[in-house]
Amino acid sequence: MPRTIRDVVFVDGVRTPFGKAGPKGIYHETRADDLVVKAIRELLRRNPDLDPAKIDEVAIAATTQIGDQGLTLGRTAGILAGLPQSVPGYSIDRMCAGALTAVTSTAGSIAFGAYDVVVAGGVEHMGRHPMGEGVDPNPRFVSEKLVDESALFMGMTAENLHDRYPQITKLRADEYAVRSQEKAAKAYANGKIQQDLVPISVRRTNAEAGETGWGLVTADEPMRPGTTLESLAGLKTPFRAHGRVTAGNAAGLNDGATASLLAAEDVARELGLPVKMRLVSYAFAGVEPEVMGYGPIPSTEKALAKAGLTIDDIGLFEINEAFAVQVLAFLDHYGIADDDARVNQYGGAIAYGHPLASSGVRLMTQLARQFEEQPEVRYGLTTMCVGFGMGATVVWENPNFDGGNK
């Protein structure tokens, strides 16, 4: 019998504060799966009308699926979070777009009718599990010149993108990075970010004093408010001598987790759940791995075409800032100014951090908050580049749209 495709909505999203990876980072002694558990529990706390038994799936992404990020994380995190054992779960990997893919994969199943309500998110503990830990790239990639060797190093792909777009200078990238830090600091000052953060208790060891204690993490650790062009100008270019990519105009190595609730729109309304965004379309695209950051351009073209929209219909953009050059390449392609007010209104990953597989849902929670504040905007999108040459884009509709200007 013919099936009716159902509308899928973003009900809610939360995340842990993001931390710096490494021995000095806030999550150095915190397990990755515990970060996911905290996020799932917070979703349930914020939505008390949802019977946990009604959750049909838990899809959790991680790029490095070993150790405390392994063992079919969606299933184990669900059990640890106290979900009924009847709720299944699985893990997913699309590198940086892991959580975004968890959302789109489960959304497709909701639209088809296989699920009604799902949890989708991601985690990356880059302090415990650096990207590439334990992997063994096939030597054919390089020996048969299937990809340029630089494709295996994200920072080098960003330098390659600067080569492709010579008009995107280091100065432009640094200027963009300063704006990201300024917007993030303003968003914090205005209380725009804290509403979706899950406070995390962390164990800390003071090696010098020989003491161990506990603390409560309530804010993102990587942010550098007060960043200036002068402070960025002298940073090293670790990926190329006299290059353009620095620690200041790129996201760092980070730890953190995200989780979201998705549902069929009719089910969400029946259960009294909030409807924060309506999914319109999504698309993934492949590009040359050595210019990985170009990926959001073709994925956005595909997603817009599927939705019957153009770039001019998009009133808000949440673009992951893996590297400033990657965002600027996207903006240049579409003729959007570097400081366009529609883009990353709360700042982005250059300020907050980019714990790889978790970041997609951060983009969504920030877009949902902006939709709520700006009912004159009908459509927005979340997009990101993906390691080894891909792009991912999701187009969303604002359920608060009041018929105003785009």
Side-chain angles (χ1 to χ4, degrees):
M1 59 183 289
R3 290 182 176 272
T4 300
I5 300 299
R6 303 189 297 174
D7 285 333
V8 181
V9 295
F10 184 90
V11 169
D12 204 358
V14 298
R15 68 179 178 90
T16 69
F18 289 167
K20 295 179 181 178
K24 295 183 179 179
I26 51 178
Y27 297 132
H28 179 59
E29 299 184 44
T30 303
R31 290 178 60 98
D33 49 9
D34 284 337
L35 293 176
V36 178
V37 167
K38 294 286 189 181
I40 295 174
R41 284 179 172 168
E42 178 65 10
L43 278 179
L44 298 177
R45 188 194 69 80
R46 287 172 41 147
N47 296 276
D49 292 337
L50 175 63
D51 178 357
K54 290 187 178 295
I55 295 172
D56 294 307
E57 188 70 273
V58 180
I60 300 296
T63 301
T64 308
Q65 296 194 6
I66 58 176
D68 53 341
Q69 289 182 180
L71 201 62
T72 315
L73 192 54
R75 173 59 171 168
T76 54
I79 292 174
L80 289 165
L83 296 180
Q85 292 190 358
S86 58
V87 178
Y90 68 102
S91 298
I92 198 162
D93 172 24
R94 200 196 292 264
M95 298 183 80
C96 308
L100 186 150
T101 304
V103 167
T104 58
S105 296
T106 52
S109 297
I110 292 171
F112 180 72
Y115 306 148
D116 288 334
V117 182
V118 304
V119 171
V123 64
E124 210 74 54
H125 200 309
M126 301 179 77
R128 284 175 174 258
H129 308 295
M131 185 169 65
E133 180 189 14
V135 303
D136 179 18
N138 195 301
R140 289 180 51 228
F141 281 121
V142 175
S143 65
E144 297 181 16
K145 297 187 175 5
L146 298 176
V147 301
D148 186 85
E149 191 171 359
S150 61
L152 302 174
F153 305 94
M154 298 302 101
M156 294 174 69
T157 69
E159 289 284 7
N160 293 342
L161 198 57
H162 270 289
D163 293 340
R164 181 163 292 195
Y165 288 86
Q167 75 274 21
I168 303 178
T169 60
K170 180 179 181 298
L171 177 60
R172 270 183 73 185
D174 286 349
E175 288 172 340
Y176 182 89
V178 169
R179 281 193 297 273
S180 181
Q181 296 283 356
E182 290 172 347
K183 288 189 286 188
K186 181 179 178 182
Y188 257 91
N190 293 334
K192 306 298 187 186
I193 304 301
Q194 297 91 325
Q195 301 170 66
D196 297 320
L197 296 182
V198 187
I200 304 291
S201 296
V202 295
R203 184 170 176 270
R204 289 173 167 162
T205 300
N206 185 328
E208 295 178 1
E211 298 175 348
T212 297
W214 290 86
L216 188 67
V217 176
T218 59
D220 294 300
E221 184 181 24
M223 292 174 58
R224 296 184 293 272
T227 297
T228 64
L229 276 177
E230 291 71 26
S231 65
L232 296 184
L235 294 179
K236 296 179 180 178
T237 58
F239 305 107
R240 183 186 296 180
H242 310 295
R244 292 141 297 193
V245 179
T246 71
N249 59 33
L253 303 178
N254 305 109
D255 308 329
T258 59
S260 66
L261 275 176
L262 305 172
E265 183 164 5
D266 58 340
V267 172
R269 298 196 183 280
E270 178 186 333
L271 297 177
L273 298 173
V275 172
K276 296 188 175 181
M277 300 194 292
R278 186 176 296 111
L279 196 151
V280 178
S281 70
Y282 61 85
F284 299 88
V287 297
E288 301 145 90
E290 55 266 30
V291 285
M292 172 272 304
Y294 184 82
I297 294 171
S299 66
T300 296
E301 290 173 345
K302 287 175 69 175
L304 290 172
K306 291 176 185 297
L309 301 173
T310 71
I311 200 72
D312 295 330
D313 292 310
I314 304 302
L316 288 166
F317 296 82
E318 275 293 326
I319 308 171
N320 192 46
E321 298 170 354
F323 302 94
V325 63
Q326 161 248 313
V327 181
L328 294 170
F330 180 95
L331 299 180
D332 275 15
H333 177 85
Y334 285 110
I336 300 171
D338 292 7
D339 59 354
D340 191 296
R342 297 171 296 168
V343 177
N344 292 9
Q345 291 188 342
Y346 296 166
I350 288 173
Y352 299 117
H354 173 31
L356 302 183
S358 71
S359 285
V361 167
R362 179 190 65 79
L363 302 178
M364 295 171 193
T365 59
Q366 293 191 188
L367 181 61
R369 185 73 59 196
Q370 292 158 32
F371 271 174
E372 186 179 7
E373 296 173 348
Q374 298 167 71
E376 73 279 4
V377 173
R378 184 171 184 182
Y379 297 109
L381 65 77
T382 51
T383 188
M384 59 202 314
C385 60
V386 189
F388 230 64
M390 292 182 283
T393 300
V394 187
V395 178
W396 301 93
E397 184 177 21
N398 186 356
N400 311 299
F401 178 60
D402 62 6
N405 295 323
K406 287 181 296 195

